[in-house]
Amino acid sequence: MEKGLILGIETSCDETSVAIVERGQNVLAEVTATSMESFADLGGVIPEEAARKQLHVMIPVLEEALRKWGGNKEDVDAIAVTKGPGLLGSLLIGTMTARVLASAWHKPLMGVHHIFGHLSSSWIGASDQPKFPVLTLSVSGGHTEVWLRESHTKGLLLSRTRDDAAGEAFDKGAVLLGLPYPGGAALSALAQSGNGSLYPFNVPLNRDPSKDFSFSGLKTALRYAIRDLGDDAKHHFADLAASYEATIVRHLVDRVDSALDEHHVQELHVVGGVSANGPLQKACKEIATRRNITSRIPSAEYRTDNAAMIAAGAYFLYEEKREKAFETFETVASLPLTEAIN
Ligand code: KG4
Ligand code: ZN
């Protein structure tokens, strides 16, 4: 890979994103369109509608990214695209575009696991490389895992959720508290004016010997707390939001802390949309300081779904696998988590 320039495309859900990234770290241009606002009143994404929106904006986003970059297509070494997991209709818009572009430009094509993209997002734009081993907490609307990573592309899945993802817990809690979808950030903002100790919730799987996460019971506990308060509930939404958020964060942080008791690492990374959460960021930074390790959280544009993380991941896949990184792939809605790194 002469210049280490990869054009990445990510369309797994409701974001349409194209980026040109140099050597897995230096973003030369990125354009991301989102159709999320159109789902705000609906409590979730409608897959067919998300795919239709992808189709509408895919080419304009690609053209805009190329215009912003202003470089020469001859310098692009490869095209990388999210192959899954995600919404099939949305994924297909990205993978078809990538296939056509690769063929027209005579470039090799790489299919990248969406989660591997998130795992590769925490040092985009940084001036240094992470020091392995790294422990990564990956938290978004669709996934919640703790990974122990020996290198960019090798590692172990230590913990995963049995049911809802952390972001899903935030979003479902937000709906119960009358906030629009996706309500994680709004719930967190509401929590700031509340007292988190007035309605304490049990931390999920607190005494469970497994390393799993679980959030669905917590969501039910919030529903019952609101029901039990009856007409008065609305006056306590801030306190309930504060307790709910504190319990989600406690559950995440407990698992991270016990993984760090068992495994010696150099860095702690938190990636995915929920890594925007203030109390979670604060708790993880405190853990890292206490343990004298480096902590990294991607900057805002690389926390949510974006193409830079796909191009970044692709670069490290190429570094390890060379020509094998360009093997043919299928576009798939479900892909085992363990295929993200192995
Ligand atoms: O990574 P992402 O953009 O999409 C997925 O791939 O799922 O993550 C979106 C999730 C949503 O559930 C959203 O509510 C949550 O991240 N989120 C937050 C915050 N900002 C976004 N959750 C808690 N606190 C926040 N500040
Ligand atoms: Zn994602």
Side-chain angles (χ1 to χ4, degrees), residues 239-252:
D239 297 330
L240 289 164
S243 298
Y244 189 72
E245 175 181 55
T247 312
I248 294 175
V249 171
R250 182 79 269 142
H251 187 28
L252 294 170

Side-chain angles (χ1 to χ4, degrees), residues 94-159:
T95 51
M96 280 191 302
T97 306
R99 286 183 202 284
V100 170
L101 198 62
S103 159
W105 286 8
H106 306 290
K107 305 288 178 189
L109 178 64
M110 299 168 79
V112 178
H113 194 298
H114 180 76
I115 307 299
F116 182 62
H118 276 296
L119 294 177
S120 308
S121 67
S122 41
W123 56 90
I124 295 176
S127 52
D128 59 336
Q129 285 276 312
K131 292 191 183 61
F132 291 95
V134 167
L135 193 88
T136 305
L137 172 67
S138 175
V139 267
S140 78
H143 48 96
T144 305
E145 301 105 38
V146 177
W147 299 85
L148 176 65
R149 303 166 64 196
E150 287 164 38
S151 72
H152 287 291
T153 56
K154 298 242 174 313
L156 261 183
L157 177 60
L158 297 181
S159 304

Side-chain angles (χ1 to χ4, degrees), residues 272-273 275-276 281 297-306:
S275 68
Q281 288 193 355
I297 296 168
S299 53
E301 62 270 45
Y302 309 126
R303 283 179 206 138
T304 50
D305 291 348
N306 67 88

Side-chain angles (χ1 to χ4, degrees), residues 10 12-15 36 114-115 118 139-143 165-172 174 181-189 245 248 271-280 302-306 309:
E10 150 66 39
S12 65
C13 187
D14 51 358
E15 267 89 27
M36 196 166 68
H114 180 76
I115 307 299
H118 276 296
V139 267
S140 78
H143 48 96
E168 213 176 337
F170 270 107
D171 295 340
K172 288 179 175 172
Y181 174 85
L187 188 151
S188 187
E245 175 181 55
I248 294 175
V271 301
V274 181
S275 68
N277 184 262
L280 178 63
Y302 309 126
R303 283 179 206 138
T304 50
D305 291 348
N306 67 88
M309 69 183 195

